[in-house]
Amino acid sequence: MAPDRKLDPVDFLNLDAQLGDEERLIRDTVCTFVADKVTPHIADWFEHGRFPVELAGEVAQLGLLGMHLRGYGCAGTNAVSYGLACTELEAADSGLRSFVSVQGSLAMFPIWKHGSEEQKAEWLPRMAAGEVIGCFGLTEPDHGSDPADMRTYAKRDGSDWILNGTKMWITNGSIADLAVVWAQTDEGIRGFLVPRGTPGFSAHDIEQKLSLRASVTSELVLDDVRLPADAVLPEVAGLRGPLSCLSEARFGILWGAVGAARTCYEAALEYATTRVQFGKPIGAFQLTQEKLAWMLVELGKAQLLALHLGRLKDSGGLRPQQVSFGKMNNVRIALDIARQARTILGANGVTLEYPVIRHMNNLESVLTYEGTQEIHTLVLGEAITGLSAYR
Amino acid sequence: MNIVVCVKQVPDTWAERKLRSEDKTLDRESVDGVINELDEYAIEESLRIKEAHDGEVTVLTMGPEKAAESIRKALSMGADKAVHLVDDALHGSDVLQTSYAMAQVLRKIGFDVVILGSESTDARMGALAAMLAERLGVAQLSLANKVEIDGGTIRTQRVADYGFDRVEASLPAVVSVVEKINEPRYPSFKGIMAAKKKPVDKLGVADADIDAAKVGLTGAATEVVDFVAAPPREKGTIVKDEGDGGQKVAEFLASKKFI
């Protein structure tokens, strides 16, 4: 960085210099796309509880869907690029990032990783193109943190499978053309590809939520759903299947949360330097400066952590417990930053005129989904003591 | 169809731009560089021509090493290859010299159509297209908001105060475009991944048969004699509405000749 260049209040540690040209260009492209197509409308979408499904085609055209997968029409970028894209998407709204995470990491990834060649060829190119939207059914009404105890069951009937059960809190559920559903079988937990319209399969939106309002959340009902033998993902059995997907998605989340935090910090900084009380900008008061400096440091640490874990993933050495470390820290810090930002914005902080309360509400979901704070804490506890607290 | 799109890297339009005190040239190091906005429309138009008529799009950029970032973006959007004219001897060239240097390169690489934005956001001369056409001895079609190519003929709509002119010329030709012409695409991730494998030909002045004495700050026909920093924004005037607010606002606007 040229010495006479001003310190960037957002990229204070100049992490930009740690990125390659390609990574920077991918980040800037998503940033521009979001500024053009999402930011101007997001408050309305959130207020009216609408996910802009019409954006799926453009999101696909950029190459965002399954961007870190190789082959089958996917862009095949590195993990850091995927992370940077998640940051820029979630800087606009966690709901948009959730859509991309679910499509790429939870619906496309299991097919890419555990599917047959026929399943990959049939589904992945259309999913990358945004023609087929996917969802991921693991959580149930009574089984969240403990998915091993799920009730959804797939029973053999000749060569067919018959599925019964209910899945809950499913992002993209009612707009999905294809659901990846995990069910107990006599041979352990297996993954099934359930196309929309399969008799007995239905999705119902969860209304009246005050978080992730610009995102579709549904319940999936499987009532004697008959599937052919080739609907099962052949290459995996056991909880390892869904957990491998969650680790992918959590990696995107730990980057995404940085984006939400960044937007809140930027809003607070801008407000603090322009809002005048007692004859001076509120940013001139020590109490406000302490809040801003705290946000700056926590945001910087979260950015560093994300980048470090991204480099580990690209070198093939990222462990699921390290992803837990990142998801736990970055989402918690993002939520804390959002809350601090809200106090700087005062009453304005609770309106949709500013992005802060929207991010704050969204982050309440992000804190819980894909492994709660508590579970990730216990994952770390087990990793360092060798003692499991929940088994 | 051999399409050449001229792309300039300029300081980010939203950043605070400065001149260097030592030689009164633009300080390109202190701010991020971006593709000149109007050139993005030129890139998009060149890609559309390629898609409709087949052929190849070559990006031509004159600028320091840093301009390679902008070349990469243009290649990511879909251009096929690039020529980067980069040489310390070019530093400080004015528009006359720039048109000479770029015309030399264009002669060397050949073209059916040259497309560029109608002006740059940094220097705002808006003269390069005309100078290139003159030096190359080909037609200039300026301020186009629509381009059609039909065999060896090019037709454009040139925006004017009263509407537009229809302009027609034979190829080869130089076309400058305005922002109403299209909506530039975003680079796709696949395009970004592919860009690094596309050829970028780096030329110095000698490689392009450019006479070093005819370019650069010392030989420039124009000179920046002096410059002053923009004054900080003055405090606004607050008018208290005592029933005559509307009249006071109108008087204010009239005093500034807005109405």
Side-chain angles (χ1 to χ4, degrees), chain B:
Chain B
M1 179 85 50
N2 185 0
I3 309 151
V4 179
V5 58
C6 302
V7 173
K8 184 179 188 183
Q9 188 182 52
V10 297
D12 189 346
T13 330
W14 301 102
E16 188 188 343
R17 290 166 284 177
K18 289 187 292 198
L19 296 183
R20 306 197 311 171
S21 50
E22 57 268 37
D23 65 1
K24 304 189 183 75
T25 61
L26 188 63
D27 180 355
R28 295 182 189 276
E29 289 307 309
S30 69
V31 284
D32 290 333
V34 297
I35 292 182
N36 176 47
E37 194 182 335
L38 282 166
D39 294 345
E40 291 209 16
Y41 296 88
I43 296 167
E44 176 64 33
E45 200 57 28
S46 68
L47 296 173
R48 290 184 187 193
I49 292 172
K50 175 191 156 179
E51 283 154 10
H53 300 276
D54 244 8
E56 199 172 47
V57 174
T58 305
V59 177
L60 170 56
T61 293
M62 170 174 145
E65 292 289 344
K66 196 170 174 245
E69 301 159 359
S70 293
I71 291 175
R72 187 155 217 189
K73 183 173 178 191
L75 293 173
S76 300
M77 288 171 75
D80 299 288
K81 58 192 173 71
V83 176
H84 186 180
L85 179 59
V86 49
D87 200 309
D88 289 343
L90 296 162
H91 173 73
S93 293
D94 64 8
V95 66
L96 272 169
Q97 296 167 307
T98 300
S99 65
Y100 158 69
M102 294 198 39
Q104 289 298 91
V105 178
L106 285 164
R107 277 195 190 98
K108 197 175 163 67
I109 63 177
F111 61 92
D112 294 309
V113 55
V114 176
I115 305 190
L116 65 166
S118 53
E119 65 175 49
S120 61
T121 52
D122 53 356
R124 303 203 62 183
M125 300 295 288
L128 185 64
M131 289 180 179
L132 281 179
E134 184 65 23
R135 287 189 188 276
L136 295 165
V138 301
Q140 183 212 182
L141 300 93
S142 60
L143 305 175
N145 68 0
K146 191 173 177 186
V147 175
E148 280 172 6
I149 291 177
D150 181 6
T153 305
I154 180 165
R155 292 185 196 90
T156 68
Q157 278 184 189
R158 174 169 59 205
V159 293
D161 291 342
Y162 45 82
F164 58 82
D165 300 320
R166 284 189 217 280
V167 186
E168 185 177 304
S170 317
L171 294 178
V174 175
V175 183
S176 70
V177 303
V178 296
E179 75 277 7
K180 290 192 181 63
I181 193 166
N182 56 42
E183 189 183 341
R185 67 194 66 186
Y186 302 101
S188 75
F189 296 173
K190 277 186 204 161
I192 291 171
M193 307 282 288
K196 66 179 166 206
K197 297 186 198 90
K198 292 179 176 173
V200 179
D201 199 4
K202 269 169 83 166
L203 301 181
V205 290
D207 305 317
D209 299 325
I210 294 166
D211 179 353
K214 291 188 183 170
V215 291
L217 191 62
T218 46
T222 57
E223 185 191 355
V224 177
V225 181
D226 197 10
F227 66 94
V228 287
R233 264 174 69 177
E234 287 175 32
K235 232 176 171 172
T237 315
I238 296 173
V239 177
K240 204 163 178 192
D241 182 11
E242 288 160 342
D244 56 352
Q247 194 187 337
K248 281 180 177 162
V249 168
E251 280 166 11
F252 172 79
L253 291 174
S255 75
K256 299 281 178 194
K257 298 197 168 24
F258 286 128
I259 53 172

